[in-house]
Amino acid sequence: DTLTKWAMPVGGGYPILQWQAPTTAPDVSTFFASGSGTSMDPYLISTPTQFNNIVRSGYLDKDFKLTGNIDFSSTGNLTAWIGTSTAPFVGTFDGNGYMLQNITYPASYTNTNDDVGIFSVVTGGTIKNLLLENIIVTATGRTNVGTLVGRMESGTIQKVGVQGTSSVLGLNYVGGLIGRFRGGSITESF
């Protein structure tokens, strides 16, 4: 039976054979500086690796907070977009007034999908108090392309901006902050 032979990896990605799946869930206590992922005790993020662990943890419904600026210029960029059509970001990301800097797409992996942005798809999630600096997105032939969010179905963007040498290139629904906005609210953002 095909359904019993395949599994989806934690955090998304391509299907894997059932025997390849880990037998236990990953220990996310080592993924972030601290926190438990709640609104009162968000996962704290201070490095590019910890930021990339948002996808790896599979906790797209948790709360995250930056504790300082994160510069991706020496790390090889993002390892994956945050959220997908089938597993969108629905949590809260609080930039805490800090920046994500020097991210260039395409990153060190191949993405042939639409919905290109740091947060690929947001449905009901919140992203706030964040500045993006020097973000270059080259997604030729792709639809729903933005520096922050590729496609926003619903949710809240508040006090988020883009500055520096930033640019976005895509095919359809391309925006400096959000590629395709289908619902939600955007306030005090640029």
Side-chain angles (χ1 to χ4, degrees), residues 45 51 54 64-72 78 82 89 92-103 105 117-119 122 126-133 135 147-149 156-163 176-178 186-190:
I45 297 172
F51 186 84
I54 294 173
F64 303 90
K65 189 176 199 176
L66 290 184
T67 61
N69 295 332
I70 298 182
D71 186 346
F72 286 86
L78 301 177
I82 298 171
F89 182 75
T92 298
F93 184 85
D94 184 353
N96 201 21
Y98 293 110
M99 290 189 280
L100 296 178
Q101 301 168 292
N102 303 311
I103 297 173
Y105 298 108
I118 295 170
F119 292 84
V122 174
T126 298
I127 304 168
K128 61 184 181 179
N129 307 318
L130 178 65
L131 192 59
L132 304 176
E133 182 177 75
I135 310 296
T147 56
L148 180 67
V149 178
T156 302
I157 304 292
Q158 181 180 23
K159 295 183 180 177
V160 177
V162 181
Q163 70 178 22
L177 192 61
I178 299 172
I186 304 170
T187 58
E188 302 177 71
S189 298
F190 61 92

Side-chain angles (χ1 to χ4, degrees), residues 1-6:
D1 179 48
T2 304
L3 295 177
T4 61
K5 294 180 181 172
W6 293 94

Side-chain angles (χ1 to χ4, degrees), residues 52 70-81 100-111 116-118 132-139 146-147 165-169:
N52 283 323
I70 298 182
D71 186 346
F72 286 86
S73 63
S74 63
T75 64
N77 289 306
L78 301 177
T79 56
W81 318 122
L100 296 178
Q101 301 168 292
N102 303 311
I103 297 173
T104 302
Y105 298 108
S108 58
Y109 62 95
T110 302
N111 184 343
V116 178
I118 295 170
L132 304 176
E133 182 177 75
N134 303 330
I135 310 296
I136 309 298
V137 181
T138 305
T147 56
T165 306
S166 296
S167 66
V168 182
L169 175 65

Side-chain angles (χ1 to χ4, degrees), residues 45-58:
I45 297 172
S46 59
T47 69
T49 299
Q50 291 169 352
F51 186 84
N52 283 323
N53 283 340
I54 294 173
V55 173
R56 189 169 163 223
S57 70

